[in-house]
Amino acid sequence: MKNINKSIIMALSLLLLNGCTGLMNNNSNNHFTSKVNLKDYTLNQSLSKEMIAFIQNYYPSSKTTFYFQLDQSAYEQGSIIEDSLRNVGYGVSYIKEEGRIPFAYKIDFIAKNIIRTTYNIGSSTLSRLYRVNGKEVKAISAFTTRGFQKALYRTHSDYKKAIVTIATLRIRNKPTRKAEVIGKYHKNALVYVEAPIKNSLGEEWSRVIQRDSRGQAVYSNSSTQYIASQYLNYLN
């Protein structure tokens, strides 16, 4: 029985992959009318949370507005998805304007108690299979993705504000005085940094946190800017 179940899941996964690939190869489908065939608020809410947890690594909520085109089924059930996006800070619009990212979704049954979720976000696609068991859903495949780039910024809530206290404070690419100088701050500059860390020599260094166009602190996995903590006057 276990082997049969594995075979079924493998077959469904291939269907998921083929459907995802087909959508990406057909540009006209990159922004389709969103549809929801799953008529259950709780289940749709659970699916939304998993999708949002994934896309937050790629689309910063403070800088992203999505554009939706809906059919009647999505108005009835899909609003859960839009509300979930709003609740974590994303902008949601039904008017197409420059700078707004097309967002389309389809939630449907492809076999008995098997749900396929498909999300087209800009030029990217995200899909996953779930099994319905009463009022619960359980993922039976990993996310299948196409077109997602390296993770962008996500909101950073654990940071310190500080004022530079010397005439010129060098920014280095590693937490050591021997590292390459890649920039500088001047006296009285306001900087956002993580809590100080000590290197092998006992020197304290702070990793610089980037800020978006609104001045909000954001975090990047690829940020490699460090400044000497001793030349900072912390404000919090």
Side-chain angles (χ1 to χ4, degrees):
M1 178 65 73
K2 289 184 178 179
N3 289 335
I4 294 175
N5 287 336
K6 287 181 180 179
S7 298
I8 293 173
I9 291 174
M10 287 179 65
L12 292 172
S13 297
L14 287 173
L15 178 61
L16 175 69
L17 180 61
N18 290 337
C20 183
T21 303
L23 286 171
M24 289 305 296
N25 288 337
N26 185 351
N27 290 333
S28 65
N29 282 327
N30 278 347
H31 184 215
F32 52 86
T33 301
S34 296
K35 295 182 178 180
V36 179
N37 292 330
L38 176 61
K39 309 297 185 183
D40 189 293
Y41 180 92
T42 302
L43 296 183
N44 279 324
Q45 194 173 45
S46 298
L47 296 174
S48 297
K49 288 181 180 179
E50 288 211 1
M51 174 270 294
I52 290 172
F54 180 91
I55 70 169
Q56 281 181 313
N57 291 316
Y58 298 86
Y59 294 95
S61 58
S62 62
K63 299 192 294 183
T64 304
T65 297
F66 294 119
Y67 159 62
F68 291 83
Q69 179 179 326
L70 308 176
D71 78 352
Q72 188 60 41
S73 68
Y75 280 119
E76 294 172 358
Q77 290 290 336
S79 60
I80 299 166
I81 294 175
E82 290 111 76
D83 288 343
S84 297
L85 288 166
R86 289 190 186 98
N87 289 340
V88 297
Y90 286 107
V92 172
S93 175
Y94 306 100
I95 300 174
K96 187 175 183 179
E97 289 186 3
E98 185 177 355
R100 294 176 180 175
I101 299 173
F103 191 121
Y105 53 85
K106 188 174 184 180
I107 301 174
D108 59 355
F109 285 92
I110 58 173
K112 185 177 180 180
N113 295 329
I114 302 297
I115 295 172
R116 175 179 59 190
T117 61
T118 304
Y119 307 93
N120 275 18
I121 306 169
S123 59
S124 306
T125 293
L126 174 69
S127 296
R128 197 172 199 181
L129 294 176
Y130 296 86
R131 184 188 302 278
V132 180
N133 183 14
K135 291 294 183 180
E136 297 181 352
V137 289
K138 181 179 180 180
I140 57 173
S141 75
F143 279 117
T144 300
T145 65
R146 291 288 186 277
F148 283 94
Q149 303 299 315
K150 185 177 181 180
L152 300 174
Y153 295 116
R154 63 179 184 270
T155 302
H156 194 304
S157 58
D158 183 18
Y159 64 87
K160 293 180 177 294
K161 294 181 181 179
I163 299 294
V164 174
T165 61
I166 62 173
T168 302
L169 178 58
R170 295 178 177 84
I171 306 169
R172 301 182 185 273
N173 65 348
K174 294 179 182 179
T176 172
R177 296 184 186 278
K178 297 181 179 180
E180 178 185 356
V181 176
I182 56 176
K184 59 186 177 181
Y185 288 112
H186 297 293
K187 189 173 183 179
N188 295 325
L190 173 65
V191 294
Y192 286 29
V193 294
E194 293 180 349
I197 58 172
K198 285 187 179 182
N199 63 14
S200 59
L201 299 176
E203 302 168 339
E204 289 194 345
W205 291 82
S206 295
R207 187 181 184 184
V208 177
I209 298 172
Q210 305 300 317
R211 284 178 284 175
D212 61 23
S213 59
R214 301 179 185 179
Q216 183 176 0
V218 293
Y219 176 82
S220 171
N221 290 327
S222 60
S223 177
T224 54
Q225 297 183 14
Y226 295 88
I227 51 181
S229 305
Q230 69 182 95
Y231 302 118
L232 298 176
N233 178 24
Y234 294 100
L235 303 179
N236 63 329

